[in-house]
């Protein structure tokens, strides 16, 4: 199996980075000609292609959602985090909710398409070494998604799990988001198997393990005290993680 990985990994890497290069100027055109909505449509299409590019590794995306997520409302998606490949499926699968990510500031430059989207698409770019900047940026981001009826995506673990084992959830980011969006809904997401793409490290890439996203029941923010809300969200997400 690992021999096949060595053969397929360069093909996937070529296709993946080619897509990023192609969609970088397309995002610029979408933003300049049609504004934020035009830019978002380009981003959605790009992420459809990025999701499909994973098929070169034999990695399909499977989303399980038994619940109705409120539309025209701000949604705060809270998820465990296993790899960079968590992100395209979330953008594409929940595109009608306009998901915007809480990301580390370093990703805002140097990466074709991805950095452009983070800088111009409404994301929060957090400097983890500067608590004051992080709090200010999160407050601004929280107001932005509330004003535009966008949705937020936050990974409370802070960093990716390298082996699928979940880490302790930090509360600060989610607390700020809920403070400024008391009428919003929290939707817990559980992601399984995306860490397996990097089970050998950066090269070769793992093949043949479908990435699975499970959507849990939306929770109205005002229905629970924050500490209970955080505990319930963390419990739901972690109970559905496959070791």
């Amino acid at each position: 199996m690992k021999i096949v990985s060595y053969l397929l990994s360069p093909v996937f890497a070529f296709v993946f980075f080619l897509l990023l290069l192609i969609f970088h100027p397309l995002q610029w055109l979408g933003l300049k000609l049609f504004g934020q909505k035009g830019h978002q449509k380009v981003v959605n299409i790009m992420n459809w292609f990025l999701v499909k590019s994973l098929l070169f590794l034999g990695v399909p995306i499977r989303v399980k959602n038994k619940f109705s997520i409120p539309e025209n409302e701000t949604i705060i998606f809270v998820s465990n985090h296993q790899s960079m490949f968590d992100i395209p499926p979330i953008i594409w699968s929940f595109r009608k909710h306009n998901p915007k990510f809480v990301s580390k500031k370093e990703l805002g430059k140097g990466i074709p398409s991805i950095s452009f989207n983070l800088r111009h698409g409404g994301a929060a770019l957090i400097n983890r070494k500067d608590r004051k900047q992080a709090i200010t940026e999160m407050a601004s981001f929280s107001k932005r998604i509330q004003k535009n009826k966008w949705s937020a995506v936050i990974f409370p673990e802070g960093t990716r799990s390298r082996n699928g084992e979940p880490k302790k959830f930090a509360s600060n980011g989610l607390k700020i988001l809920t403070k400024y969006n008391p009428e919003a809904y929290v939707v817990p997401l559980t992601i399984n198997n995306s860490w397996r793409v990097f089970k050998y490290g950066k090269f070769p890439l793992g093949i043949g393990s479908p990435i699975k996203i499970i959507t849990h029941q939306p929770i109205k923010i005002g229905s629970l005290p924050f500490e209970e809300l955080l505990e319930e969200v963390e419990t739901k997400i972690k109970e559905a993680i496959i070791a």
Side-chain angles (χ1 to χ4, degrees):
M1 186 68 74
K2 196 169 183 179
I3 295 175
V4 179
S5 299
Y6 276 106
L7 297 174
L8 295 180
S9 295
V11 177
F12 166 76
F14 174 78
V15 172
F16 188 86
F17 287 108
L18 181 62
L19 289 170
L20 296 184
L21 290 173
I22 290 171
F23 276 94
H24 190 93
L26 293 179
Q27 283 189 64
W28 184 88
L29 284 173
L31 182 63
K32 295 299 180 182
L33 297 178
F34 304 105
Q36 200 282 328
K37 288 185 177 180
H39 173 241
Q40 188 62 50
K41 286 184 179 180
V42 175
V43 169
N44 291 343
I45 294 169
M46 176 183 74
N47 280 278
W48 181 86
F49 278 102
L50 294 179
V51 165
K52 296 304 178 183
S53 73
L54 285 163
L55 293 175
F56 283 98
L57 297 175
V59 177
I61 305 295
R62 298 174 182 169
V63 179
K64 182 180 180 181
N65 181 17
K66 295 181 177 180
F67 304 100
S68 177
I69 301 175
E71 297 186 29
N72 300 314
E73 299 280 357
T74 296
I75 306 297
I76 300 173
F77 293 101
V78 183
S79 177
N80 63 311
H81 193 21
Q82 296 188 347
S83 83
M84 60 181 282
F85 298 117
D86 299 341
I87 295 167
I90 290 176
I91 293 176
W92 174 249
S93 300
F94 303 103
R95 61 194 179 277
K96 65 182 177 182
H97 301 287
N98 293 310
K100 310 296 179 182
F101 286 76
V102 178
S103 179
K104 59 184 180 180
K105 191 175 182 179
E106 293 85 347
L107 297 179
K109 58 183 179 180
I111 309 172
S113 282
I114 293 173
S115 296
F116 187 93
N117 181 37
L118 289 174
R119 290 197 313 273
H120 300 283
L125 292 172
I126 302 299
N127 184 347
R128 294 177 180 174
K129 298 177 182 179
D130 186 340
R131 179 177 172 81
K132 183 178 179 181
Q133 184 275 345
I135 293 174
T136 301
E137 177 68 7
M138 281 301 300
S140 177
F141 175 67
S142 301
K143 294 173 185 177
R144 191 158 62 243
I145 63 170
Q146 194 276 334
K147 177 182 177 181
N148 293 285
K149 285 290 187 289
W150 292 341
S151 295
V153 182
I154 186 168
F155 302 115
E157 290 169 293
T159 58
R160 291 171 286 178
S161 170
R162 303 293 181 178
N163 59 4
E165 289 292 330
K167 301 178 181 181
K168 178 68 178 175
F169 281 16
S171 63
N172 291 343
L174 182 58
K175 194 169 191 176
I176 295 172
L177 284 169
T178 57
K179 175 183 176 181
Y180 287 98
N181 292 275
E183 299 301 316
Y185 291 81
V186 170
V187 175
L189 301 176
T190 298
I191 297 174
N192 280 304
N193 289 337
S194 73
W195 70 272
R196 295 182 184 278
V197 178
F198 293 103
K199 64 183 178 181
Y200 303 129
K202 293 182 179 179
F203 188 85
L205 298 171
I207 63 173
S209 296
I211 295 174
K212 300 178 181 179
I213 300 177
I214 301 171
T215 305
H216 302 282
Q217 186 170 13
I219 306 169
K220 184 76 170 179
I221 286 175
S223 65
L224 290 172
F226 176 77
E227 294 302 327
E228 291 182 25
L229 175 67
L230 178 64
E231 182 179 359
E232 181 170 346
V233 168
E234 185 171 2
T235 299
K236 284 186 175 182
I237 292 171
K238 291 183 175 180
E239 283 181 345
I241 293 175
I242 301 172

